[in-house]
Amino acid sequence: METDPVELEPAVPDRPSPDEVRAYYAAQPAPLVAATGIVLDSRGRVLVLTTSYKPDLELPGGTVEDTETPEQGLARELGEELDLHAPVGRLLAVDSRPPGTLGRSLIVHVHLVGPLTAEQASGFSFPDGEITEARWLPPEEACEALPARIAPRLRAGLAALHAGSFAHLVDGVPQPGSPAGLDPARRAALGHSGVLDAASHRANRPKALTAASVLFTDAEDRILLVRPSYGSTRRWQLPGGGIDSDLGETPRAAARREVQEELGLDLPPGRLLAVNWSHKAGRPARIRFLYDGGVLDARTLARIRLDPAELLAWRTVPRTELRDLVKGALRRQIDASLTARTTRTGPLELHAGRPAD
């Protein structure tokens, strides 16, 4: 008797259960993961610890356990070691170390914690007994006091903090193309050597922060200043702010946007009066474009509406009172810009408010 052929479906292997998947990954060789905190106080000092189990000083932190993230592990260690409950901040550096005496490679995440308030900085206790002393040291002293395996992480992490960047280390050594942590001379040499790939070359290049400000005066030649609600609120500034260059914003467009956001006035900037370049060692250079905002009459000044998230107050001041209200570099920029406006010269090239020549 003839029968129709039966088509057999190909066998499908059994899918592993979730427990089997977890067991598989748990059995794989993997590096140890640790999380370290660069804990700062309001004076910029670094917290270093003396432990009951090692002769050398340590930074806060420890091994990440079970299913923790590095941030969670560091937060737990801060609570257990110091009874400190503070948010774990941004990632500053990652250090990868080859297998040592434990036979496992190690990946260390270095995070910023703080700056702590005065109350937090003086309120440590040592619940688990692993820590016997906590001390605040200036950054350079902390780097000198820490052992050779830890100090490079602190140096690179602080460099990344000041540069607003990130450091990539292997066994404590900043790698070519690391955005932060490299000695400036070494960075320059690598940049000119031609050995870096395009991506590493871009990451290796020094960075600059750009801003745009607008110089307004009133009918009596007084300068319009604003007092920010963030940073140093004791110092007054010109209206303006950072340029959103990653969004394609130009300096002129940024100046107009910032004035509208801060003061509620939609006024197109006038001509460019000056470009100022300033630099502090270990920090990105800062470039400020200064535009002429013209003379504001009483009706326009009355229409000013501050954004409370950005500004606390505004005022107009005579040129003779600038010294007591703004930093010296900004005062020099304002003076130079006022001169360029009056004499119809410029744009001026300024370095920290002084003419470049």
Side-chain angles (χ1 to χ4, degrees):
M1 181 176 64
E2 293 184 0
T3 60
D4 294 331
V6 177
E7 294 184 4
L8 299 177
E9 294 184 0
V12 177
D14 292 337
R15 292 180 177 177
S17 69
D19 287 342
E20 290 172 327
V21 172
R22 281 192 291 270
Y24 170 80
Y25 282 109
Q28 302 308 303
L32 294 172
V33 178
T36 291
I38 297 180
V39 182
L40 301 180
D41 69 0
S42 60
R43 296 165 55 186
R45 296 180 302 177
V46 178
L47 183 67
V48 297
L49 306 177
T50 301
T51 72
S52 60
Y53 54 90
K54 287 182 181 179
D56 296 322
L57 293 175
E58 290 276 353
L59 290 174
T63 305
V64 177
E65 297 180 354
D66 301 324
T67 58
E68 289 179 330
T69 64
E71 293 84 353
Q72 291 170 333
L74 178 56
R76 173 183 51 76
E77 288 282 348
L78 293 173
E80 293 176 355
E81 292 182 341
L82 301 169
D83 196 24
L84 172 62
H85 304 281
V88 174
R90 73 179 186 89
L91 181 65
L92 298 175
V94 169
D95 187 13
S96 303
R97 295 186 62 195
T101 56
L102 298 179
R104 300 279 293 278
S105 58
L106 175 67
I107 298 175
V108 182
H109 287 230
V110 182
H111 285 268
L112 172 67
V113 179
L116 302 185
T117 65
E119 182 179 3
Q120 289 175 317
S122 60
F124 300 132
S125 62
F126 312 128
D128 63 5
E130 291 189 358
I131 306 303
T132 58
E133 184 185 17
R135 285 187 285 163
W136 293 104
L137 296 178
E140 195 54 41
E141 286 187 27
C143 290
E144 293 296 329
L146 288 165
R149 76 180 191 284
I150 297 177
R153 296 177 198 151
L154 176 59
R155 289 187 188 277
L158 290 172
L161 170 64
H162 297 148
S165 190
F166 173 81
H168 169 209
L169 312 177
V170 174
D171 209 11
V173 179
Q175 297 303 291
S178 176
L182 283 168
D183 176 84
R186 170 68 172 154
R187 178 184 298 282
L190 283 169
H192 293 98
S193 66
V195 301
L196 296 177
D197 60 85
S200 295
H201 181 76
R202 285 193 299 273
N204 186 73
R205 293 294 298 154
K207 308 300 188 290
L209 303 177
T210 55
S213 297
V214 183
L215 178 64
F216 294 107
T217 54
D218 64 10
E220 298 180 25
D221 288 329
R222 295 177 299 191
I223 300 104
L224 175 64
L225 298 178
V226 296
R227 188 153 67 97
S229 59
Y230 50 87
S232 178
T233 58
R234 296 182 297 106
R235 294 291 188 176
W236 292 74
Q237 300 282 346
L238 289 175
I243 301 169
D244 290 335
S245 55
D246 55 339
L247 299 177
E249 187 175 52
T250 65
R252 181 172 293 274
R256 183 169 186 169
R257 173 184 54 78
E258 286 285 346
V259 168
Q260 186 170 20
E261 290 177 355
E262 292 184 345
L263 303 179
L265 301 176
D266 185 14
L267 302 173
R271 71 185 186 92
L272 181 65
L273 298 174
V275 176
N276 183 74
W277 170 279
S278 62
H279 179 256
K280 184 178 180 181
R283 268 72 166 174
R286 293 177 177 269
I287 303 169
R288 186 201 300 265
F289 295 79
L290 294 112
Y291 291 93
D292 187 0
V295 179
L296 302 182
D297 57 26
R299 292 182 61 184
T300 303
L301 290 170
R303 291 194 291 112
I304 290 178
R305 297 293 182 270
L306 300 183
D307 177 359
E310 300 223 12
L311 299 179
L312 297 174
W314 70 272
R315 63 187 294 189
T316 58
V317 300
R319 193 168 177 172
T320 55
E321 294 183 13
L322 289 175
R323 184 179 297 274
D324 297 327
L325 298 174
V326 303
K327 289 184 177 180
L330 179 56
R331 175 175 52 82
R332 293 191 293 270
Q333 293 172 57
I334 294 173
D335 285 339
S337 296
L338 286 170
T339 300
R341 177 207 264 186
T342 302
T343 59
R344 300 296 298 175
T345 55
L348 303 178
E349 180 186 352
L350 306 176
H351 292 179
R354 298 182 174 91
D357 58 357

